[in-house]
Amino acid sequence: MIVTLASVKGGVGKSTCAIHIAAYLRSLSSTLLIDSDRIRSCVAWSKRGKLPFPVVDENHQAKAMRDTRYEYVVFDTPGSIDDQGLMELADGCDLMIVPAVPESSATDGLLYTLRRIQRGKGEFGVLLNRVRHNRPQEATELREAIAETGARVFTTEIPDLVAFDKASAQGVPVYDVDDRRAARAWEAFEALGKEITNG
Ligand SMILES: Nc1ncnc2c1ncn2[C@@H]1O[C@H](COP(=O)(O)OP(=O)(O)OP(=O)(O)O)[C@@H](O)[C@H]1O
Ligand SMILES: [Mg+2]
C-alpha cells in the first residue's frame, strides 16, 4: 500500500504525519518512508535519533525498493504543490492524505482545492491536524465544510500537542518522548492507522 502525504499549503503537518503513519504501519509490516521534499525533514528526523523504519530521499528510493520488498510505502512531499500536482500524486498512490489545520483563514483555499482534486481518479482524504482541545468548534466547522464538497474526512483528528515538536527534536516517534501527553498523541495515530488499513 502506498500512502502519500500532500497539501497545497505548507506547514500543515505532512512530515509529522508521514513519520507517525509510517511508525504505525511498521507495527503491521515492512515499511519505507520516502522523503521527496528538498528540505528533507523526514531524513533529518531519522538522522537526529532513531526511527523503526528506513527513511530515504527520492534519489535513493529505487535502490531501497530493489533491495527489500516493502508492504507499505509512505511518501512525504514538498510544501507547496498546485492542484494539478495533487491530482497526479493522488493518482500515483493508493491513498493520499491531505492534512489540514482548522483555522478559518485557510478554509476557502482548501475547499477550492478539494473540489478540483475530486475531478481526478485518485483516492484521498482530509486529516484534521493540530486540533486544539479547547476549540473543538473549529474542527467541527471545518469537517462540515469539507463534507459539503463530498471529500472524505478521516474520523480521527490529530491533537495539537507539543509532544510532536519534542518527537521531531529528538528524532523519534512520539511514543518514545518523555511527555505526559505522548500517549495521547500516539493513540491518535493508532486510531488513524486503523482507519487507513481497514479501508
Ligand atoms: N499535531 C501537531 N501538534 C503540534 N505541533 C505540530 C503538529 N503537527 C505538526 N506540528 C508542528 O508544526 C510544524 C510543521 O509541521 P511539519 O513540518 O510536519 O509540516 P509540513 O506540512 O511537513 O511542512 P512543510 O510544508 O514545510 O513540509 C512543526 O514544527 C511540527 O512540529
Ligand atoms: Mg514537510
Side-chain angles (χ1 to χ4, degrees):
M1 182 184 194
I2 304 166
V3 180
T4 294
L5 277 293
S7 67
V8 171
K9 204 162 175 276
V12 291
K14 291 179 296 294
S15 300
T16 304
C17 294
I19 293 282
H20 290 96
I21 290 167
Y24 175 81
L25 295 173
R26 177 66 192 94
S27 73
L28 305 179
S29 191
S30 57
T31 300
L32 175 69
L33 197 162
I34 299 170
D35 184 353
S36 78
D37 185 357
R38 272 186 298 122
I39 294 172
R40 307 278 186 238
S41 308
C42 291
V43 171
W45 191 316
S46 101
K47 283 187 179 156
R48 277 192 293 274
K50 193 166 167 50
L51 293 171
F53 49 84
V55 181
V56 296
D57 64 46
E58 76 278 14
N59 299 322
H60 294 85
Q61 64 174 321
K63 231 177 178 178
M65 292 172 83
R66 180 191 63 193
D67 295 344
T68 309
R69 190 190 174 283
Y70 291 97
E71 190 63 34
Y72 295 106
V73 175
V74 178
F75 197 69
D76 187 25
T77 63
S80 55
I81 291 182
D82 63 16
D83 295 348
Q84 178 65 30
L86 277 192
M87 225 142 76
E88 289 173 14
L89 277 171
D91 199 33
C93 68
D94 298 308
L95 178 63
M96 183 168 83
I97 298 181
V98 181
V101 178
E103 47 186 6
S104 50
S105 59
T107 305
D108 292 344
L110 175 68
L111 299 181
Y112 175 82
T113 293
L114 296 178
R115 289 198 187 93
R116 292 280 312 268
I117 58 179
Q118 270 177 295
R119 295 183 199 159
K121 297 190 298 283
E123 227 195 283
F124 73 95
V126 180
L127 173 63
L128 301 186
N129 183 34
R130 304 200 73 163
V131 174
R132 292 186 277 185
H133 75 281
N134 54 348
R135 303 178 82 157
Q137 193 60 23
E138 283 183 341
T140 306
E141 282 169 13
L142 181 56
R143 179 178 291 281
E144 285 169 1
I146 295 167
E148 271 178 33
T149 70
R152 175 180 182 188
V153 192
F154 296 105
T155 307
T156 307
E157 297 176 358
I158 308 300
D160 187 64
L161 293 172
V162 290
F164 287 113
D165 273 325
K166 293 185 186 174
S168 171
Q170 292 171 26
V172 295
V174 74
Y175 55 70
D176 276 343
V177 165
D178 185 14
D179 181 282
R180 68 194 175 95
R181 298 213 198 280
R184 167 76 195 91
W186 176 239
E187 271 165 25
F189 276 100
E190 284 180 312
L192 176 68
K194 285 181 188 140
E195 237 187 288
I196 294 170
T197 50
N198 292 339

